[in-house]
Amino acid sequence: GEDVEQSLFLSVREGDSSVINCTYTDSSSTYLYWYKQEPGAGLQLLTYIFSNMDMKQDQRLTVLLNKKDKHLSLRIADTQTGDSAIYFCAETTNSGYALNFGKGTSLLVTP
Amino acid sequence: GAVVSQHPSRVICKSGTSVKIECRSLDFQATTMFWYRQFPKQSLMLMATSNEGSKATYEQGVEKDKFLINHASLTLSTLTVTSAHPEDSSFYICSVSSRAGYTFGSGTRLTVV
């Protein structure tokens, strides 16, 4: 499938904001997702955004989509140690199709 | 989203044996399920799309005879790793697509010794 790129590692202090970035190449991407994976576990859906949206906020999470630049970001406000995990962005062109994942960003939150 | 149950969560098997992994959609009739494989510190790679009542669609490079997929009912898809070898050791995850989005199983850690 098309490429989905993410930075591999991010370290922040507890209480700060975290911003995880993602770029994708498929201009027909319609659905964009953020998943969280803790060690040895499956994927937990955090949030998603449709391509006709620019921004979506859900409690501490804010997703920004720049469709022109094919750039997606996830901001976590007041980051906690429990937020330490790997975060994957994923896209698909159709809700019935398989997701195409980035390599994941490992977020480390230090006290 | 749908509730997905994947078993076993962890399995260790001897080289040359076969291992079956089950993925159940508990509250949704899934005509399509997806099987992914994840190597350490890497992304999820789609292996195949499992279609209820028909043959699975495999991604390029995935051996059909090695990774047997059966989707005999709307609630169960199975992935059988046949004649497993150490290089098959990995984390396998299934996924269901429903109206509410994608739901993933908790994954199966396969170790072949």
Side-chain angles (χ1 to χ4, degrees), chain A residues 45-63:
Chain A
L45 176 65
L46 290 177
T47 187
Y48 62 92
I49 192 168
F50 296 133
S51 60
N52 62 354
M53 300 164 68
D54 299 324
M55 188 270 279
K56 181 179 179 182
Q57 185 167 4
D58 185 3
Q59 299 183 332
R60 292 192 297 123
L61 305 178
T62 303
V63 179

Side-chain angles (χ1 to χ4, degrees), chain A residues 35 37 42 95 97 99 101-102, chain B residues 34 36 38 43 46 97 102 106:
Chain A
Y35 284 88
Q37 185 181 37
S95 64
Y97 294 174
L99 291 174
F101 286 87
Chain B
F34 305 102
Y36 293 85
Q38 185 181 28
S43 184
L46 179 68
S97 173
Y102 296 84
S106 54

Side-chain angles (χ1 to χ4, degrees), chain B residues 45-82:
Chain B
M45 300 302 297
L46 179 68
M47 297 176 66
T49 301
S50 169
N51 304 299
E52 187 267 336
S54 64
K55 291 183 180 179
T57 304
Y58 289 82
E59 294 300 297
Q60 192 173 6
V62 178
E63 298 177 57
K64 300 178 184 181
D65 295 331
K66 180 160 192 63
F67 298 100
L68 299 179
I69 291 174
N70 185 287
H71 193 158
S73 77
L74 289 170
T75 58
L76 174 65
S77 176
T78 60
L79 168 67
T80 301
V81 183
T82 63

